[in-house]
DNA sequence: CTATTAATTTATAATCAATATAAATTAAAT
DNA sequence: ATTTAATTTATATTGATTATAAATTAATAG
């Protein structure tokens, strides 16, 4: 609670109960949730919560760099707490989004081309290990 | 004309006038167009064209690997003819999508983790060179 | 403390890209 | 020439997101 409150205050965001809970959820759950997943999970503990607030809060949090929006081919946007930058594997079968750590160094190269790079999104799309193994059972 | 006809036949796709024109447009224009951009551009030469056909055709073409769908944060999907694999820079200001060629070798690493990689999407998001220069004029 | 003002949350309506459905057209097969 | 299948087109529907306005909560001033 206090931890997330401080994080919000540091960024100049008023630490409301809803915002704290949403930030806490994202920091604790690395499942790259959608708005709906966040809403469903928090609804139990914050029964007054509205989906609009989830949208608004995610907008505020991402504007201040606390969370980031993933670029997927899914119809719904996926969000994650901003840990250290990493890549993703997106499974076409189970639709899981798996964190991938690779020492990507191309950011600097792109900067040298004259572009200002603010985010790097690396997505490997295919069939995940678990789903591959299930095919041969 | 004949060139695109052959490409379609090779993949077992019936080479209709609409499909040929859409494939031709994508092969000749490397602007990563949306459905709307393709429709607007071809509407002049194929006045009977419907937007539904553009959606359908892009579905068919991408299913057969002739075109690919980009993963962007845009509300509309962007498409491109399937040249050799490459990455993209997405400008937050002018919304252009610029091709970036980097010798990315992480595909194999992800495969070694047990995942089957079918596509690699690398996006650098920020402010492009042109827009950066315009800021200081 | 009470009144006033501003910020946030919530409820509701509107938007719009994408999909689903069905009718019309075209091509292929008998 | 008739039937059948595939494709295109027109139209309706869906569903995530955004916009708008009302309700609630917090902050400020007197
Ligand atoms: Mn992640
Ligand atoms: Mn490209
Ligand atoms: Zn999977
Ligand atoms: Zn630009």
């Amino acid at each position: 609670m206090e931890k997330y409150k401080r994080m919000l205050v540091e960024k100049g965001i008023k630490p409301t109960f809803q915002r704290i809970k949403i930030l806490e959820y994202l920091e604790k759950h690395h499942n790259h949730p959608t708005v709906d997943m966040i809403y469903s999970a928090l609804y139990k503990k914050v029964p007054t919560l509205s989906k609009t607030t989830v949208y608004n809060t995610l907008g505020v949090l991402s504007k201040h760099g606390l969370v980031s929006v993933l670029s997927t081919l899914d119809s719904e946007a996926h969000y994650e707490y901003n840990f250290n930058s990493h890549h993703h594997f997106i499974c076409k079968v189970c639709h899981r989004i798996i964190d991938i750590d690779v020492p990507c160094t191309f950011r600097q190269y792109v900067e040298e081309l004259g572009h200002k790079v603010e985010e790097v999104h690396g997505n490997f799309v295919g069939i995940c290990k678990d789903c591959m193994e299930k095919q041969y059972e």
Side-chain angles (χ1 to χ4, degrees), chain A residues 23-34:
Chain A
L23 180 59
E24 179 183 24
Y25 180 85
L26 283 164
E27 202 260 351
K28 288 187 176 166
H29 298 83
H30 301 180
N31 52 341
H32 310 94
T34 62

Side-chain angles (χ1 to χ4, degrees), chain A residues 41-123:
Chain A
L42 293 181
Y43 179 72
K44 304 157 195 165
K45 299 183 176 180
V46 195
T48 145
L49 186 68
S50 87
K51 213 175 267 188
T52 309
T53 298
V54 180
Y55 276 105
N56 288 342
T57 299
L58 290 170
V60 171
L61 296 181
S62 74
K63 201 176 66 181
H64 288 83
L66 286 171
V67 311
S68 40
V69 192
L70 306 186
S71 56
T72 66
L73 296 170
D74 202 1
S75 63
E76 297 174 68
H78 291 259
Y79 296 84
E80 75 178 346
Y81 179 81
N82 241 352
F83 286 101
N84 47 345
S85 170
H86 57 271
H87 291 197
H88 291 105
F89 182 89
I90 300 170
C91 179
K92 279 179 173 176
V93 178
C94 66
H95 300 104
R96 265 192 310 159
I97 301 173
I98 300 166
D99 286 335
I100 301 282
D101 261 310
V102 289
C104 179
T105 56
F106 299 125
R107 184 190 187 117
Q108 196 186 348
Y109 168 73
V110 177
E111 295 263 9
E112 280 164 10
L113 293 175
H115 309 307
K116 178 150 183 281
V117 178
E118 291 169 356
E119 300 166 42
V120 179
H121 297 207
N123 293 336

